Amino acid sequence: MTEQYVVDLQEVDATQIAVVGGKGAQLGGLSGIEGVRVPGGFCVTTDAFRRVMAQVPSIEDRLDQLSRLNPDDREEIRTLSAQIRRSIEGIAIPGDLSAAIVGALTPFGEQTAYAVRSSATAEDLPTASFAGQQDTYLNVMGATAILQHVSRCWASLFTERAVTYRRRNGIEDRAVHMAVVVQRMVFPRAAGILFTADPVTGNRKVATVDAGWGLGEALVSGLVNPDVFKVRDGEVVAKAIAAKKCAVHALPVGGTEEVAIDAQRQEQPALTDVQAVELVRLGRRIEAHFGRPQDIEWCLADDGFQIVQSRPITTLFPVPETDDQENHLYVSVGHQQMMTDPMKPLGLSIWQLTAMAPMHEAGGRLFVDVTRRLASPASRAALLDLMGRGDPLVRDALETVLDRDDFVPSLPDAGPGGPPTSGAPAPIETDPAIVTQLIERSQTSIETLRRDIHTKTGPALFDFLPEAFEEHKRVLRDPLSMQAIMAGMEATWWLNDKLGEWLGEKNAADTLTLSAPGNVTSEMGLALLDVADVIRRRPEVVEFLQGVEYLEDTAFLEELAKLAGGTEARDAVEAYLDRYGMRCVGEIDITRPRWRERPTTLVPVILDNVRNFEQGAAERRFEEGRQKAQQKEQDVLSRLRALPDGDRKADEAKRMIDRVRTFIGYREYPKYGIISRYFVYKQALLKEAERLVQAGVLPEREDVFYLTFQEFHEAVCANQVDDQLIQDRKDAFRSYHALTPPRVLTSDGEALTGAYRRDDVPTGALVGLPVSAGTIEGRARVILDMAEADLQAGDILVTAYTDPSWSPLFVGIAGLVTEVGGLMTHGAVIAREYGLPAVVGVEQATRLIRDGQRIRVHGTDGYVEILP
């Protein structure tokens, strides 16, 4: 194939990223949009880059070295990337390549001023913008200077920031090539950036225009604050005019300079309102062409607007797709389920198929549309009350939208599928036998599932699973189960409200629920202490576990049994996995590796337990909690009886205490049942995936995780898979990790996090939701991956979220701080069970609190202090 070194921008389209890079492809696409003016020019293609790179001495060895560097090793990256850049710039451009570039200048004039701009093949892409990672040179004049700056652009593929960006985004250096865009220079009166969606709120209907005098470099480099125009539906709805004291202008001899702006002109708007609206109209045309919101660089010259760059805005959280033009208000499922990471397509689709409410996917996360429930006064009040008790930030975010009056329609009732306006389910007796009965029903149903699924393979499995999903939902929908859950929660709320009113005591129920019986999640943490008891007495086993990260999970238990005392240790771990092996971090995503599949995940926690506890800690811990709860009960009842009408108040409180201790532990069981079923589904599905691998349909069985359940079914029936679809899904999933899911999202794309709106918190403290009473001071351990836990007695765990799989860590910590959570979510429930002061819903806690800092957690009042 003949190499092509130069191509005119007018001949480029958005499909030619491999030839002209992301920026070149975008500019070529822009050139073809009617009414959009793009400065003329051409691209020096990636063929030219590869030709030059082939001449760089020892480049393969250096790229190998670069690939082995840690993205956090900034000094090594800086040194090696600088060597590569110098080598590239030192290569003389071959004569025929030089002639092609100089020849491309002829239609525009060799002495014309040009912008010479890097255009990497991994740049301005929907999943990675690479904004500012490579170099741009303005007002370059003369063939010699242009050739020199083309070399500099090639070399800029290896700037420290570009190399680090690729490392963090999982992009190989060899997979990226550099083209260079050479365009006629525009000498603008004003320039700036247009976001076709509000970059702060995410609202797709509000465009933001940043404008300043002269070249846009003054804004990009932060020399001046821009004028900011907000445009919606063809009119400026808000604007802020800045004092623009300087600008960047082009020099007649080439290059640019910073110049001062006359005092009387500094606070004049760089654009009129009419021009801002006209620019946004142009931006909407560009957005429609590329099919997603754009970040657009523009110039205003004497003859109108010219567009010099457009890239996707990659930081916006996607909006769930709908088939109507109505307003929708969505609440995050992940914030309720303590799993805000993205889920793979199979995980998303199976959660949707087994969930109790319709769910919508966006950005690898799930959302529930609550618009209709908020549309009628009765269902609105019930939903806001429920949301507020669980997570006040969600309630505040919903109320922020409701206060606008015009977003959520007003309906006479909640309509089909809305919650009953009467509120909670009918009450039940305070009878422990009810919980026993519910657990037996669930276990019987799961055993039936295991028996029935065992014989199902191929299409028959996919015919069977929808029936299993219906049984799954039937168990969850059991009215008695809902009554038991609500009984424990409502009794907790009653105790906190009434004891606060009668005794002036905050969150009294937190102590009253210590060591409540039957909580399968808190038992899971204590049971791992029992495993540590078996291992602690066997030094060879402890030594083996300390080096286990080098061992494959499949061999872990086999190797363990070969040691002195290893058989007992293996049996203890096996027994633990038999009961809890279906659990893992992010367990609502069926594709996540379970503890049974990856038992070494538990090793760091077991070793922490061996180091930090003595024999018999689990039993002592539970008994201490039970006695504290009993003492608290006696204290509360005694104080109540001393009040006016005290016998009645004490009797009511006693009934509620008994009710809490009977039912609050069951709150965790339905999730345990869900995850138990999930592991059964997963094992059957992986067998089908393995058959596809054996048949040569898939390279790896985990590739099915990037198919929906229906697509997996079709693949099994047809015995074929769309490889490109799987690759696209992998790329998208990787990009979703960079997105922060909002608690509440509107169909306009506006992301709302809510606010606490409190004035009872010390200055500088981090505000959150109090979920487990008490105050504790200690060392913060910021841990984002449970497998990397290294805790000492007295540490305070700081993390993004905790689902039930984190509870084994709770036995070894003194307090808890999370970014996500609510009053009745798993972390809060287990923190109360173990008596750990806890504050959840602390925005950006893992960034604002540094690992190792001393902090004070105010679990009763809901804030965290960072100590000097």
Side-chain angles (χ1 to χ4, degrees):
M1 190 173 81
T2 304
E3 291 180 327
Q4 183 179 23
Y5 295 134
V6 171
V7 58
D8 192 283
L9 270 180
Q10 297 286 344
E11 299 171 10
V12 171
D13 62 38
T15 66
Q16 294 173 271
I17 291 172
V19 178
V20 297
K23 186 182 282 109
Q26 287 284 107
L27 286 168
L30 284 167
S31 300
I33 304 174
E34 185 177 351
V36 174
R37 297 176 58 212
V38 177
F42 58 91
C43 290
V44 181
T45 69
T46 53
D47 283 343
F49 171 76
R50 280 189 287 268
R51 169 102 177 261
V52 169
M53 285 292 288
Q55 299 179 39
V56 177
S58 306
I59 188 62
E60 291 301 320
D61 290 342
R62 292 178 179 181
L63 291 177
D64 284 340
Q65 291 177 50
L66 207 56
S67 70
R68 291 191 289 269
L69 295 181
N70 186 298
D72 295 322
D73 192 349
R74 299 186 63 177
E75 188 58 40
E76 284 296 319
I77 289 176
R78 182 182 300 119
T79 301
L80 186 52
S81 59
Q83 291 173 4
I84 295 172
R85 288 198 306 278
R86 284 194 297 271
S87 295
I88 294 171
E89 289 184 40
I91 298 295
I93 299 178
D96 58 332
L97 174 51
S98 173
I101 296 171
V102 173
L105 298 173
T106 304
F108 308 103
E110 193 173 312
Q111 294 307 310
T112 300
Y114 292 90
V116 182
R117 316 171 71 193
S118 305
S119 179
T121 53
E123 182 177 357
D124 294 350
L125 306 179
T127 57
S129 76
F130 272 77
Q133 300 305 313
Q134 282 92 36
D135 291 346
T136 287
Y137 302 95
L138 301 178
N139 201 28
V140 180
M141 301 175 70
T144 302
I146 285 170
L147 290 172
Q148 182 184 43
H149 285 86
V150 167
S151 282
R152 289 180 180 174
C153 284
W154 288 332
S156 76
L157 188 64
F158 296 96
T159 62
E160 178 192 347
R161 62 185 183 272
V163 170
T164 302
Y165 190 96
R166 288 196 292 273
R167 283 283 163 283
R168 297 195 189 286
N169 283 274
I171 298 171
E172 290 294 325
D173 295 303
R174 285 185 176 83
V176 185
H177 303 289
M178 180 68 82
V180 181
V181 175
V182 181
Q183 281 180 287
R184 289 188 64 162
M185 186 72 189
V186 179
F187 301 97
R189 185 163 56 81
I193 300 168
L194 160 64
F195 298 95
T196 62
D198 190 313
V200 177
T201 68
N203 195 318
R204 276 34 169 205
K205 291 187 176 178
V206 177
T208 300
V209 177
D210 289 359
W213 299 120
L215 293 166
E217 293 305 293
L219 304 186
V220 173
S221 61
L223 283 175
V224 296
N225 291 323
D227 297 338
V228 180
F229 299 80
K230 301 280 187 182
V231 178
R232 179 172 182 144
D233 298 331
E235 65 175 308
V236 175
V237 294
K239 64 181 172 182
I241 307 304
K244 302 170 288 298
K245 295 182 179 181
C246 65
V248 174
H249 286 173
L251 291 167
V253 294
T256 62
E257 69 172 350
E258 182 184 328
V259 298
I261 300 295
D262 294 339
Q264 67 270 22
R265 192 162 166 249
Q266 287 179 7
E267 296 193 21
Q268 289 181 7
L271 293 178
T272 66
D273 286 8
V274 171
Q275 287 171 327
V277 170
E278 178 191 348
L279 178 61
V280 170
R281 194 174 295 120
L282 206 58
R284 293 291 181 215
R285 196 175 299 165
I286 294 168
E287 178 184 65
H289 175 83
F290 290 116
R292 58 186 299 151
Q294 297 287 301
D295 164 358
I296 299 167
E297 293 182 24
W298 57 269
C299 295
L300 177 61
D302 294 336
D303 54 351
F305 288 106
Q306 295 198 50
I307 305 302
V308 295
Q309 188 165 336
S310 183
R311 62 170 72 90
I313 307 176
T314 58
T315 55
L316 295 176
F317 199 86
V319 180
E321 294 182 6
T322 60
D323 55 5
D324 60 43
Q325 299 300 311
E326 302 296 320
N327 289 342
H328 295 272
L329 194 54
Y330 303 98
V331 171
S332 164
V333 173
H335 284 81
Q336 311 300 314
Q337 291 294 334
M338 299 299 95
M339 215 298 267
T340 53
D341 293 346
M343 297 167 67
K344 294 187 178 78
L346 187 64
L348 289 166
S349 63
I350 289 185
W351 189 263
Q352 286 172 305
L353 288 165
T354 54
M356 303 302 291
M359 293 183 180
H360 307 266
E361 185 273 333
R365 280 81 168 187
L366 291 169
F367 295 84
V368 172
D369 186 347
V370 295
T371 318
R372 288 189 67 83
R373 279 185 262 182
L374 291 171
S376 75
S379 58
R380 178 188 309 149
L383 181 68
L384 289 175
D385 181 60
L386 185 64
M387 291 290 178
R389 286 188 179 275
D391 185 343
L393 293 178
V394 172
R395 176 172 185 150
D396 184 80
L398 293 173
E399 288 178 331
T400 298
V401 178
L402 289 170
D403 287 345
R404 296 171 186 166
D405 295 331
D406 60 344
F407 191 85
V408 176
S410 182
L411 299 173
D413 56 55
T421 56
S422 57
I428 54 175
E429 293 298 315
T430 304
D431 182 359
I434 292 174
V435 173
T436 304
Q437 177 188 353
L438 286 167
I439 291 173
E440 286 175 353
R441 282 189 202 173
S442 176
Q443 289 176 335
T444 299
S445 178
I446 292 168
E447 286 306 316
T448 301
L449 170 66
R450 286 196 182 101
R451 183 195 67 216
D452 292 349
I453 206 171
H454 185 66
T455 58
K456 305 295 190 295
T457 61
L461 172 67
F462 289 88
D463 291 337
F464 168 77
L465 280 171
E467 298 173 14
F469 297 160
E470 287 306 310
E471 168 65 7
H472 179 127
K473 288 190 281 188
R474 187 196 66 74
V475 172
L476 289 179
R477 210 180 278 125
D478 185 336
L480 188 62
S481 179
M482 284 303 303
Q483 287 171 315
I485 292 170
M486 290 306 299
M489 291 168 64
E490 287 173 343
T492 301
W493 299 335
W494 187 96
L495 285 166
N496 282 334
D497 291 345
K498 290 297 184 182
L499 297 182
E501 176 188 338
W502 293 338
L503 300 176
E505 188 167 338
K506 288 184 179 179
N507 304 323
D510 292 359
T511 306
L512 292 167
T513 55
L514 287 171
S515 298
N519 187 318
V520 70
T521 306
S522 61
E523 289 169 357
M524 180 169 68
L526 296 174
L528 207 58
L529 287 175
D530 292 335
V531 174
D533 283 353
V534 175
I535 289 170
R536 186 181 292 107
R537 299 191 299 266
R538 295 165 170 84
E540 268 194 58
V541 173
V542 173
E543 185 180 355
F544 168 76
L545 293 181
Q546 288 168 341
V548 85
E549 67 264 27
Y550 305 109
L551 196 66
E552 290 291 327
D553 279 283
T554 51
F556 165 55
L557 294 171
E558 294 174 17
E559 292 298 316
L560 186 59
K562 296 175 183 177
L563 305 170
T567 303
E568 294 86 352
R570 181 202 59 192
D571 291 347
V573 174
E574 283 279 13
Y576 187 86
L577 292 173
D578 285 344
R579 181 150 170 76
Y580 304 111
M582 77 294 289
R583 310 217 82 149
C584 67
V585 173
E587 61 191 9
I588 69 170
D589 182 352
I590 198 172
T591 71
R592 291 284 190 107
R594 311 284 134 175
W595 290 343
R596 170 55 78 182
E597 297 169 309
R598 195 172 290 175
T600 53
T601 304
L602 295 170
V603 169
V605 190
I606 293 171
L607 288 172
D608 282 348
N609 289 347
V610 167
R611 184 175 66 248
N612 295 331
F613 293 92
E614 295 180 357
Q615 290 292 118
E619 186 177 348
R620 284 196 305 275
R621 184 80 176 255
F622 186 82
E623 182 57 24
E624 285 168 8
R626 193 189 65 79
Q627 289 183 12
K628 282 182 183 177
Q630 194 172 44
Q631 290 163 6
K632 183 69 173 179
E633 176 181 335
Q634 292 169 357
D635 173 62
V636 163
L637 296 179
S638 172
R639 290 159 62 198
L640 285 174
R641 289 194 179 96
L643 298 176
D645 197 18
D647 287 343
R648 178 188 63 80
K649 290 173 179 173
D651 288 346
E652 287 185 19
K654 172 60 175 168
R655 282 196 298 274
M656 288 300 175
I657 292 169
D658 290 347
R659 200 162 175 80
V660 163
R661 294 194 67 80
T662 297
F663 292 116
I664 201 66
Y666 179 72
R667 163 72 178 77
E668 292 292 298
Y669 196 85
K671 183 73 168 287
Y672 176 80
I674 291 171
I675 303 307
S676 298
R677 291 174 184 279
Y678 264 34
F679 194 40
V680 178
Y681 305 152
K682 182 178 186 180
Q683 289 171 307
L685 290 168
L686 282 177
K687 287 178 183 175
E688 290 307 310
E690 189 58 46
R691 290 188 185 95
L692 292 177
V693 171
Q694 295 300 324
V697 176
L698 284 176
E700 297 180 6
R701 66 176 190 168
E702 285 77 13
D703 284 348
V704 298
F705 294 163
Y706 296 93
L707 301 174
T708 66
F709 179 76
Q710 184 57 39
E711 290 164 348
F712 192 176
H713 186 183
E714 291 165 2
V716 168
C717 291
N719 218 36
Q720 66 180 42
V721 171
D722 183 343
D723 295 334
Q724 188 58 51
L725 174 66
I726 289 176
Q727 186 56 53
D728 291 346
R729 294 269 177 81
K730 288 180 178 180
D731 292 342
F733 178 71
R734 186 170 59 243
S735 74
Y736 293 153
H737 282 278
L739 300 174
T740 301
R743 282 177 167 81
V744 172
L745 180 68
T746 74
S747 49
D748 288 347
E750 185 177 2
L752 298 105
T753 57
Y756 286 108
R757 308 187 192 282
R758 290 171 53 186
D759 55 11
D760 60 342
V761 173
T763 304
L766 307 180
V767 187
L769 179 66
V771 296
S772 186
T775 301
I776 193 70
E777 187 176 309
R779 181 182 71 154
R781 288 307 323 273
V782 180
I783 297 173
L784 300 180
D785 182 348
M786 178 181 154
E788 296 175 1
D790 181 15
L791 295 165
Q792 295 178 7
D795 282 349
I796 297 170
L797 174 62
V798 180
T799 190
Y801 63 81
T802 61
D803 61 10
S805 70
W806 286 72
S807 65
L809 292 185
F810 283 28
V811 299
I813 59 176
L816 174 69
V817 179
T818 69
E819 295 178 341
V820 176
L823 194 61
M824 297 308 295
T825 48
H826 304 280
V829 171
I830 305 308
R832 290 194 291 271
E833 292 260 335
Y834 287 166
L836 303 174
V839 180
V840 302
V842 180
E843 285 289 294
Q844 298 190 342
T846 59
R847 299 178 190 176
L848 298 174
I849 300 171
R850 294 195 309 273
D851 187 51
Q853 278 186 316
R854 288 194 68 77
I855 62 174
R856 186 181 296 126
V857 178
H858 295 262
T860 304
D861 296 309
Y863 63 90
V864 180
E865 292 179 285
I866 300 175
L867 303 176

